Amino acid sequence: MISRYLVLLTAAIAVIGANSLALSPIAAAVAASFPGRSAADVMTAAAVYGLATAGSALLLAALADRIGAERALVRALLVLCVALGLGALSPALWTLIAAQGLAGLAAGVALPSIYTLTAQVAAQGRESQTLSFVLTGWTLSLVVGVGLAALLADLLHWRAVFTVLALVAVVLALGISRCHHWGTRAGGETRSSSLQALRIPGIRSVLLNVAAYMTAFYGLYTYLGPHLGEVLQLPASFAGLAIAVYGLGFGAAAPLGRLVDRHGASAAACVSFAGLMLVYLGLMAAVQLPLALLALCLAWGVGNHLGLNLLMRQLAELDPVKRGAVMGLYSAITYLCVFAGALLYRPIFTHYGFAACAWASAMLVLPALGWALGQWRRKQAALRCRSET
């Protein structure tokens, strides 16, 4: 049975994700409200949001370890509500950009808190299944949130988008504050920061895999639309369909979390990362076949969900006492990779095309596959030692 705790956490991710993704489809409408501004100018707000989220996750996420993840999440959602309200009332573009920067600061605290609470409320032996459910919040933001944002902007006004998100954020803050028994983390008080969490044994190798994994995704995702629209000359609706299909695949993978719990994370990681590499190589081979690309986007969503689940689970289990700081590092790296992927893949796409980008992504997943194989071999060796003794 799905608890209200998981529903609240999933909805919180959906609101945060919707805000981060909604600006792109309504950028033209926003620009029309500010004379002399273009859609590209409006997207500066998205860039500021991403940088603020990364900085906040790096410097402020450890707040969840100091005051409790549920308190940190409630405060972050209230700040997000204020930021969204300011965005809805923005008289000039610079105030909208500043509001999105404030929203990024809130998101940088909220996301690690959500992941920390997910680990706390997960039943023993159902960690991956629980995390998979909460991660479907990203699917809701991608498939539902972006579509509703565009619809509200067309039917009412773009300011209605931020108004609705602000109202949902405050409702979630109230709901989470009234819930008790969120579980407890191991250990007592801690004054650790995300930077100090880098001293945790084993964390650096996992974070390097996260950086490569996220760069592989965001780099290719950034240039999927340009490839479909500019190279294949397909309509914008097809690019939107491809993104929606990816989101559906990401959400459809949620039930597979129970298989990870049943067969073990190390074995599942080997299969997941190997499968994701094959998907990237498939995207490289099907670069001129729109329908094949569409089908592979579905598989891409499934593979990305499983790989993300496994990396996040590994991080969450490293040190329960410093889980908020650890998840802060994860969120900071994720948002930095949004920029790194777009920057590093641009010359690849410009000079060699989308197929070369897909090949680069496959190679970036290779370290994660090697790490997973190493984990699996160590586990098998440990099991043999136990059987012999």
Side-chain angles (χ1 to χ4, degrees), residues 43-132:
M43 290 310 294
T44 303
V48 170
Y49 172 87
L51 288 175
T53 302
S56 175
L58 191 62
L59 301 175
L60 301 178
L63 187 68
D65 296 325
R66 298 173 189 171
I67 67 173
E70 66 279 7
R71 287 184 180 181
L73 179 56
V74 169
R75 295 179 185 181
L77 285 173
L78 291 175
V79 173
L80 180 64
C81 174
V82 172
L84 292 169
L86 290 174
L89 298 172
S90 295
L93 181 58
W94 72 266
T95 54
L96 177 61
I97 293 173
Q100 282 297 301
L102 182 60
L105 293 177
V109 175
L111 289 172
S113 299
I114 291 170
Y115 300 142
T116 298
L117 289 172
T118 301
Q120 288 180 192
V121 301
Q124 185 72 27
R126 294 185 178 179
E127 292 85 354
S128 289
Q129 184 179 353
T130 304
L131 181 58
S132 285

